[in-house]
Amino acid sequence: MNSDALKESVGELWEKYVRHDFVKRMKDGSLPLENFRYYLIQDSKYVRVMLKSLLNASSKGPIDQVSKIILKVFQTRDKGSEVHSFLLSQLKVNEREIQDTGYSLVNYAYTRHLFYHSNLGWKQFLVAWAPCMWGYMEVGKYVLGSPNPLYNKWAEFYSSQDYRTRVEAILEALNSVDLGEGLFKVFMDSVNFEIMFWDSSMRMDPTPFHGD
């Protein structure tokens, strides 16, 4: 299947992504809350561009695939938003702070990468998007049970059946498209962006880039 071939093509990079030190420290509860707070703000900004990219790419895809994925994403969005809002409130992050905070260089580049491929076509977007959605399901299952209640709450959503239905719909669509050689690089680029996203959150990089 396409998904298996893509995952195999990145080799050890996948493990570096889903078992990054940021993830391991969420699992054992040792990740400083300030790093998680930074991550949540950047992730909030990423998700907005991700949804914009999904809607942009949707006009270029088969209606059955597009409608199924959008339905699954938006059916479970309230639950995901509820968890995200709870975490933000616990860390005293409000909407104004998210708006006023810029993108890190990594996040700025990653979101542009995603939107660029949404302009190229449906299958290009699916390949660029899949590492985020698929990897977070694996990360969620791994982090579940963290002694830190906030990290465990985060993991509960990404390890849930609701989230799994999103991923299954995306992988089903991904497995039905024709993969060209260039798309393997797109997938690898996204995996690398995910690794760099964790790296950036560990360092708490500057956030000077504004504008969606």
Side-chain angles (χ1 to χ4, degrees), residues 17 20 22-23 39 136 194-202:
Y17 162 32
H20 191 279
F22 189 98
V23 174
Y39 157 77
Y136 267 50
E194 288 292 342
I195 294 169
M196 290 188 286
F197 202 101
W198 296 134
D199 287 342
S200 178
S201 297
M202 289 296 292

Side-chain angles (χ1 to χ4, degrees), residues 15-30:
E15 194 70 9
K16 287 183 178 180
Y17 162 32
V18 299
R19 293 296 182 270
H20 191 279
D21 190 48
F22 189 98
V23 174
K24 290 179 178 177
R25 295 187 71 179
M26 287 179 69
K27 171 68 174 176
D28 67 21
S30 66

